[in-house]
Structure formats: structure tokens, C-alpha cells
Amino acid sequence: MWEKIPMRVSALVLFFLVGCAMFMTLSRQEIDNKNLSSLVLTGYGQGTYQYSAVETYLEELRQLNLNTASFLFTCYTKSKYSSEVDCNSYDSPGLEELSDAIVLAKRQGFLVNLRVYVDLKDFTWRCHWNPKNKKLVLDNLDQTLTKMAKFAERRKVEVLILGAEYCQLTKTKYKKEWQNIIRSVRK
């Protein structure tokens, strides 16, 4: 019987069977009383989260007796004064690879921590990022972080970190804007 089925149909059926297996039901683990312990696998550029790199990283976490896989998704802005946030450049990891990395970590029993940072293309420390148009950059961050929160929610990520070292953007006068961003992300 099988010899009568064209090779293309067999390959297509196999593709769908493997593809459906990849869409397993993910769950979120409780972390209330757990100590999170991890090292971050940094996400700089396409191909960062290739299967072999993630598998090596997860094995290192196991050997160190750590319980959390931490993945960094890096977006970029052009310069110290730029207000744009670009998460689709070649320097950012691919979302499909990141998704596969999260699924692999969860299948192996790890909690998952997703960090979303904006770095400067000119390698200036992000603490010195001082966009000229603060309202625009905070709106851009709101959109970016909300999109990444939806991505994380679909994959039942346990922890989502909304950036780090935004010294010029986290001053008290921007408290209301950050509260709005956090509210959007929590939805």
C-alpha cells in the first residue's frame, strides 16, 4: 500500500505529523517558593538560538544544577539619541528560533525567563541611551514589550523582564509612562 503513495504526499504527511508534535501544550510552572537559578544565553543576532546551541546551554544548566533557562531577546536603537526600537534587524534573534528554544527548555523541565532589552547599535552602554523624543520611545517600548508579552504568554514563560539599565528613561518623571507600559504588558 505505502509504495503506491507518492513521495510528496508521504513527505507532506510526515511534515504535518512532526509539525503538530511541535505544538505541544505548554504550561507555566509555579515559582512562588522556588529559588530561580540561571545563566543567561544572550541573544545577539539571527541564529543565536539554533538547536545545538540551546541544547548545549541546557546541558550546562543541568550540570550546574540550575533550574531556569534565561533567554535574551535584543532589540536595537541606532544611537544614544534615537527614539526608534527595532526588533527585526539581523542583529536581533529570530522569534521562531527563540520560540523553539523556549519549547525545548520547557520540555526538559526548566522554568523560562525571557529578557527583552534594547541595545545601541553604536555599542554605547544602554544606560546612556537618552532619546530626544521620550514620548515616542516610551510609546515604542510599550508596543514592543506588549508584543513580546503576548509572545511570552503563548509559550507560558514564567518570568518576563522588560529591560535593564535604561537610566535616562526610568527617572521619576517617567513613572506614569512605565506604569502604563507595565499595565499593558500585564494584560
Side-chain angles (χ1 to χ4, degrees):
M1 173 184 144
W2 288 105
E3 57 275 344
K4 293 182 181 179
I5 298 174
M7 184 59 111
R8 286 184 292 211
V9 173
S10 299
L12 189 60
V13 169
L14 181 61
F15 172 78
F16 282 118
L17 289 174
V18 171
C20 291
M22 292 300 291
F23 290 106
M24 64 176 259
T25 302
L26 299 175
S27 63
R28 181 174 290 115
Q29 295 183 46
E30 283 296 319
I31 60 171
D32 289 338
N33 296 319
K34 289 188 179 183
N35 292 320
L36 300 178
S37 56
S38 188
L39 298 172
V40 179
L41 181 57
T42 55
Y44 296 111
Q46 300 287 321
T48 296
Y49 296 122
Q50 292 178 3
Y51 179 85
S52 60
V54 174
E55 188 58 52
T56 298
Y57 164 69
L58 296 175
E59 180 56 33
E60 289 171 0
L61 293 179
R62 271 190 295 282
Q63 287 177 9
L64 293 169
N65 226 10
L66 304 176
N67 65 2
T68 307
S70 296
F71 299 107
L72 173 62
F73 183 79
T74 310
C75 300
Y76 289 91
T77 192
K78 291 180 184 175
S79 70
K80 178 178 172 175
Y81 302 109
S82 176
S83 301
E84 294 127 18
V85 176
D86 179 10
C87 300
N88 298 313
S89 79
Y90 185 77
D91 296 321
S92 295
L95 286 176
E96 190 172 318
E97 280 184 358
L98 177 58
S99 180
D100 291 346
I102 290 169
V103 170
L104 184 59
K106 288 191 147 296
R107 281 185 177 166
Q108 293 185 22
F110 289 98
L111 298 163
V112 175
N113 171 332
L114 177 58
R115 300 161 177 249
V116 181
Y117 292 176
V118 178
D119 277 338
L120 284 74
K121 282 271 194 181
D122 65 5
F123 302 105
T124 300
W125 179 29
R126 71 178 79 91
C127 184
H128 299 295
W129 182 28
N130 193 13
K132 289 181 182 176
N133 188 338
K134 304 286 192 297
K135 181 183 177 348
L136 177 60
V137 80
L138 289 164
D139 287 346
N140 286 338
L141 283 170
D142 188 6
Q143 290 175 18
T144 297
L145 294 172
T146 300
K147 176 183 173 188
M148 291 307 294
K150 289 175 183 175
F151 173 88
E153 178 61 28
R154 284 190 301 272
R155 287 145 188 92
K156 302 301 181 200
V157 168
E158 282 78 13
V159 178
L160 176 64
I161 297 176
L162 307 179
E165 305 169 335
Y166 300 150
C167 306
Q168 307 304 314
L169 294 170
T170 54
K171 295 182 177 181
T172 306
K173 62 184 172 182
Y174 303 115
K175 180 179 177 179
K176 183 179 176 186
E177 288 84 352
W178 279 104
Q179 287 173 330
N180 289 336
I181 289 170
I182 291 167
R183 211 174 352 268
S184 294
V185 165
R186 284 186 173 156
K187 283 184 188 175

